[in-house]
Amino acid sequence: MKYSMLLASLAPTLMAAPLTHDTFEWTPTLAGYFDVVFQYMQQAKSPGQPSATCDLSRAAMPIAPTPLPNPTGLILEHVAVGRGIQNYTCANATATPAAIGAVARFYNASCVAADYPDLLGLIPNLALQYPLPADPSAPLAPSDLQLSTHHYFSNASTPVFAFDTATSPKFGTVFAQKVHSSDAPANAVPGVSGIGNGAVPWLYLTSRPTTESPIKAVYRLSTAGGQPPETCANMPAAFSVDYSAIYWFYK
């Protein structure tokens, strides 16, 4: 069974809600996402409902199971959905997989965070179920979010967030460092189709002195997938695990 989503027919009632033109296999995750979209559409039709503003002062981060430091004195500038892979190596069959970074594309979810918070928490699980667009500059389907950032590691301990696309906010390049972490919630999605070894931790990162950006802090929250198996048994010397997450950028 498939859904065919026509943005044009829905735009008059929910201009800023993330939708797509594409066709996807029906799944409970996809159905749940569009159930929430429909609820927002119904609210938008009600008299006196405020219009979407994309005002990030209204956005609120979820609280980690082990609370992360608050962004005291900082201003939220950008929220993005990350979809990519976590990379690992194995020294031998009895070793524990060693994390060597990640590669991901980020998609602008600032307006979703501000105006449709119930949708935001659903997107990592949804994004994890579908491959990245073949066109590296295309929006993220089925949520139709625009590309904003490229994420990679310059070495094993330095995550990089490069706002280097035509649709990026003008935030330059952030070279970050991990400061605190929290295990993901027990009910976090463990992997693609609900099968995997768990969700990677939630993180609080700060910018390094080499950063060429006003961004001072980055939070990785609402993770889905990305964890390796406990041991390297039957694993290749290098492998990757699909993941998704919401990233919050503060200056």
Side-chain angles (χ1 to χ4, degrees), residues 6-93:
L6 299 177
L7 179 61
S9 66
L10 298 172
T13 55
L14 197 60
M15 291 296 292
L19 300 166
T20 181
H21 303 269
D22 299 331
T23 300
F24 293 91
E25 291 293 336
W26 183 93
T27 66
T29 300
L30 186 63
Y33 175 82
F34 279 98
D35 282 346
V36 177
V37 170
F38 179 75
Q39 292 171 23
Y40 277 118
M41 289 172 60
Q42 295 302 105
Q43 292 174 17
K45 293 178 181 178
S46 301
Q49 286 295 316
S51 59
T53 64
C54 296
D55 179 3
L56 280 175
S57 68
R58 299 168 51 184
M61 290 192 298
I63 298 173
T66 301
L68 299 171
N70 291 322
T72 304
L74 300 179
I75 299 171
L76 180 61
E77 287 291 329
H78 186 63
V79 181
V81 176
R83 174 67 173 91
I85 53 174
Q86 297 284 327
N87 295 318
Y88 301 92
T89 59
C90 282
N92 54 63

Side-chain angles (χ1 to χ4, degrees), residues 218-241:
V218 181
Y219 292 79
R220 183 181 78 184
L221 309 177
S222 306
T223 54
Q227 286 281 43
E230 292 184 358
T231 75
C232 289
N234 302 314
M235 299 302 294
F239 65 96
S240 300
V241 182

Side-chain angles (χ1 to χ4, degrees), residues 97-126:
I100 57 169
V103 177
R105 298 179 209 162
F106 285 12
Y107 298 85
N108 191 339
S110 293
C111 290
V112 184
D115 296 313
Y116 309 107
D118 292 345
L119 282 179
L120 186 68
L122 299 177
I123 292 177
N125 183 13
L126 185 66

Side-chain angles (χ1 to χ4, degrees), residues 87 89 98-102 152-159 176-178 208:
N87 295 318
T89 59
I100 57 169
Y152 56 92
F153 276 62
S154 60
N155 57 50
S157 61
T158 304
Q177 57 195 342
K178 184 175 77 172
R208 293 180 181 270

Side-chain angles (χ1 to χ4, degrees), residues 118-216:
D118 292 345
L119 282 179
L120 186 68
L122 299 177
I123 292 177
N125 183 13
L126 185 66
L128 189 62
Q129 309 312 314
Y130 301 101
L132 283 167
D135 178 354
S137 63
L140 179 67
S143 50
D144 209 42
L145 302 177
Q146 297 297 313
L147 182 68
S148 72
T149 319
H150 290 104
H151 175 44
Y152 56 92
F153 276 62
S154 60
N155 57 50
S157 61
T158 304
V160 180
F161 306 93
F163 292 86
D164 57 359
T165 78
T167 51
S168 294
K170 305 304 181 185
F171 294 146
T173 302
V174 182
F175 295 87
Q177 57 195 342
K178 184 175 77 172
V179 179
H180 290 284
S181 68
S182 167
D183 288 343
N187 63 350
V189 175
V192 177
S193 299
I195 301 170
N197 298 293
V200 288
W202 294 21
L203 300 179
Y204 167 65
L205 307 102
T206 58
S207 61
R208 293 180 181 270
T210 50
T211 286
E212 301 170 355
S213 170
I215 298 300
K216 302 299 182 186

